[in-house]
Amino acid sequence: MVQIRNWEYNSLSSIIDGDADIAFLGRYYSGSKEALHLLPEVIDCEELFRDTPLVYLRKDHPLLKEPWNLETFLRYSHISTEYDKRPHWVLDNILAEHGRLRNIAMTYTSFEQTLFMISQPNHELITCLPGYCVHYISRALPNLVTLPLPLPHSVSEQLDISFILLWHKRHAYNSKVLWLRETIKNNVNQFMQKNGH
């Protein structure tokens, strides 16, 4: 039986305690609280792919008629997607280091909810999500477009997300966990090849 749950603040403990066999999640750059080098010694991991966050907004959004820069980006209200029950992520930490803040007007718990809300008419909200969501909006929400984050490359590369598998070292040769890891890797590889990555 395969049981799938969203990542939560205690999910890492669930892997360590044996309540979960494997996790698939995104982790941020080396300076963040989610950095790979901060994982406990008993956890093994494998990076499946890297992704760069993008800005998502409606095709008729007024922002698209303005110069695309950090001032414009910060002037509009944002929808944020929670991670570990927090509405802020590494982008907000980096902005705060420079005395800047996003105006987060609304939060959701999934990318799909956030994208659905962004696609609705009669508002001026924008959001930042992983770039792979482009493939979802091309099929499900074609009224959305993307822009790169208006940040220097040296800053934006710090926002790259490593999507990884995590498992407890005790499962290194467990046939169930090996099968699950291979199945996830194969599905991710097929998706990446199909979408030109």
Side-chain angles (χ1 to χ4, degrees):
M1 182 179 87
V2 176
Q3 195 175 52
I4 299 173
R5 299 183 187 129
N6 288 334
W7 183 266
E8 296 182 347
Y9 68 94
N10 62 346
S11 293
L12 194 57
S13 296
S14 294
I15 294 172
I16 293 168
D17 297 341
D19 298 326
D21 295 321
I22 195 166
F24 174 64
L25 71 152
R27 290 266 163 161
Y28 294 101
Y29 78 115
S30 60
S32 80
K33 295 175 185 172
E34 291 86 30
L36 293 178
H37 72 276
L38 297 176
L39 288 171
E41 286 285 322
V42 296
I43 298 294
D44 272 340
C45 69
E46 180 178 1
E47 181 179 278
L48 300 185
F49 67 98
R50 293 184 73 75
D51 192 273
T52 301
L54 297 171
V55 178
Y56 292 79
L57 63 162
R58 286 188 335 274
K59 286 180 179 177
D60 63 348
H61 198 290
L63 178 152
L64 294 169
K65 296 178 181 168
E66 301 181 42
W68 184 231
N69 56 38
L70 186 59
E71 300 308 316
T72 304
F73 173 73
L74 294 176
R75 191 167 53 254
Y76 285 90
S77 295
H78 291 238
I79 297 179
S80 188
T81 306
E82 287 185 0
Y83 181 77
D84 272 355
K85 298 190 177 188
R86 293 175 299 178
H88 296 89
W89 56 290
V90 176
L91 171 63
D92 299 294
N93 299 343
I94 290 172
L95 289 171
E97 288 171 8
H98 295 89
R100 309 302 296 270
L101 295 172
R102 289 190 304 154
N103 175 21
I104 297 175
M106 189 178 298
T107 60
Y108 283 99
T109 57
S110 77
F111 296 158
E112 293 83 4
Q113 291 171 320
T114 299
L115 289 167
F116 178 76
M117 185 59 204
I118 285 294
S119 73
Q120 302 307 302
N122 304 319
H123 68 79
E124 295 186 352
L125 297 163
I126 62 175
T127 194
C128 300
L129 294 174
Y132 75 79
C133 292
V134 165
H135 308 295
Y136 173 76
I137 69 166
S138 67
R139 289 174 293 137
L141 301 165
N143 67 325
L144 295 181
V145 294
T146 63
L147 292 170
L149 281 162
L151 299 167
H153 179 70
S154 60
V155 175
S156 64
E157 70 181 353
Q158 296 177 50
L159 301 175
D160 282 356
I161 307 165
S162 290
F163 282 88
I164 58 169
L165 288 176
L166 298 177
W167 63 93
H168 196 285
K169 288 183 188 291
R170 70 176 162 260
H171 291 310
Y173 302 104
N174 178 300
S175 60
K176 176 179 70 171
V177 175
L178 286 170
W179 172 83
L180 194 53
R181 282 171 43 203
E182 288 306 311
T183 301
I184 293 169
K185 283 167 49 176
N186 288 338
N187 284 327
V188 167
N189 288 336
Q190 287 174 11
F191 174 82
M192 300 302 272
Q193 290 171 0
K194 180 180 172 185
N195 294 290
H197 293 288

